[in-house]
Amino acid sequence: AQSVAQPEDQVNVAEGNPLTVKCTYSVSGNPYLFWYVQYPNRGLQFLLKYITGDNLVKGSYGFEAEFNKSQTSFHLKKPSALVSDSALYFCAVRAMYSSASKIIFGSGTRLSIRP
Amino acid sequence: GAGVSQSPSNKVTEKGKDVELRCDPISGHTALYWYRQSLGQGLEFLIYFQGNSAPDKSGLPSDRFSAERTGGSVSTLTIQRTQQEDSAVYLCASSLEGLGDEQFFGPGTRLTVL
């Protein structure tokens, strides 16, 4: 069975500092991994994804994520946080090679960047 | 249209009534998904369409929930005999076709069952 864990409900970071939002997953076989962001009063937006290839994936708004197969993790990172990064972040996983596989979202991590 | 649209944006109904939620995906997107997001909660997968067929209906909470998609485009999610626990934001998303394609989400329908 597929599952995603976002162990932190909330992450608080000062503006200008690096940020990390954690995600671990469980899936049979190789995964597709995604990060989405939900800004206040706005819909969910795609940030980045890992399918294959380079373990470090770069996405929108200066975010990046590193796929670590041995640790089954896909943590989201940004070198220097902005107040505008404050939002709800979701990690998602899907099994490759299964046309019937659903995408499973984590419970979300609320990122709060203080000025 | 430019993005995924959903209607209505808000729906208030009485317990026991049926409701129908509509999703218009991005033109050309063959995959369509329905999710439910309760207040302060994550996204709960409901159903996935590839074209007009639904390879995965495993997320539908009960037999009161059903969904269909016609013409490989518009989808409707129907909830019969609504209950208060059905109150949530119902999100629709579409993607091009592949399992690795990112999803584009609509603004959601906020359902309130009184």
Side-chain angles (χ1 to χ4, degrees):
Chain A
Q2 299 168 207
S3 65
V4 176
Q6 292 183 244
E8 302 153 317
D9 291 336
Q10 174 122 6
V11 171
N12 299 309
V13 177
E15 188 174 29
N17 283 0
L19 69 86
T20 299
V21 183
K22 296 179 180 177
C23 172
T24 58
Y25 67 91
S26 174
V27 68
S28 298
N30 294 318
Y32 292 120
L33 293 157
F34 305 84
W35 276 101
Y36 288 84
V37 60
Q38 189 172 35
Y39 295 104
N41 300 315
R42 290 168 62 180
L44 273 155
Q45 298 177 32
F46 168 78
L47 265 184
L48 50 80
K49 66 180 178 182
Y50 171 81
I51 296 179
T52 187
D54 194 350
N55 289 344
L56 185 63
V57 178
K58 294 187 183 297
S60 308
Y61 311 119
F63 283 93
E64 59 188 28
E66 185 165 13
F67 171 60
N68 188 317
K69 188 171 184 177
S70 63
Q71 297 185 3
T72 61
S73 67
F74 191 56
H75 301 330
L76 181 70
K77 299 183 180 184
K78 188 172 181 179
S80 178
L82 299 173
V83 173
S84 58
D85 293 330
S86 298
L88 188 56
Y89 290 80
F90 292 96
C91 181
V93 68
R94 190 176 205 173
M96 285 189 192
Y97 311 125
S98 173
S99 62
S101 75
K102 60 190 177 188
I103 183 167
I104 301 296
F105 281 78
S107 55
T109 298
R110 189 164 298 281
L111 179 63
S112 178
I113 309 299
R114 61 183 183 275
Chain B
V4 178
S5 60
Q6 293 185 246
S7 60
S9 55
N10 278 285
K11 176 72 177 179
V12 180
T13 190
E14 293 179 348
K15 178 181 172 181
K17 295 284 180 69
D18 298 351
V19 296
E20 194 171 275
L21 312 180
R22 177 187 167 105
C23 172
D24 280 274
I26 293 174
S27 177
H29 281 192
T30 62
L32 187 146
Y33 309 79
W34 283 99
Y35 298 91
R36 181 167 69 175
Q37 187 176 27
S38 302
L39 188 63
Q41 303 295 313
L43 272 71
E44 177 187 2
F45 168 85
L46 297 179
I47 188 169
Y48 154 57
F49 286 95
Q50 183 61 256
N52 290 336
S53 63
D56 194 338
K57 304 179 183 179
S58 62
L60 294 176
S62 74
D63 58 8
R64 296 187 295 105
F65 287 72
S66 63
E68 65 175 13
R69 188 179 185 195
T70 55
S73 181
V74 171
S75 176
T76 54
L77 176 69
T78 302
I79 309 173
Q80 295 178 308
R81 305 181 303 281
T82 52
Q83 303 294 313
Q84 288 183 332
E85 61 262 28
D86 298 334
S87 297
V89 175
Y90 289 81
L91 293 169
C92 174
S94 70
S95 69
L96 268 174
E97 57 182 340
L99 299 180
D101 291 324
E102 59 265 34
Q103 296 177 34
F104 294 81
F105 282 81
T109 293
R110 183 175 297 278
L111 175 66
T112 303
V113 182
L114 301 176

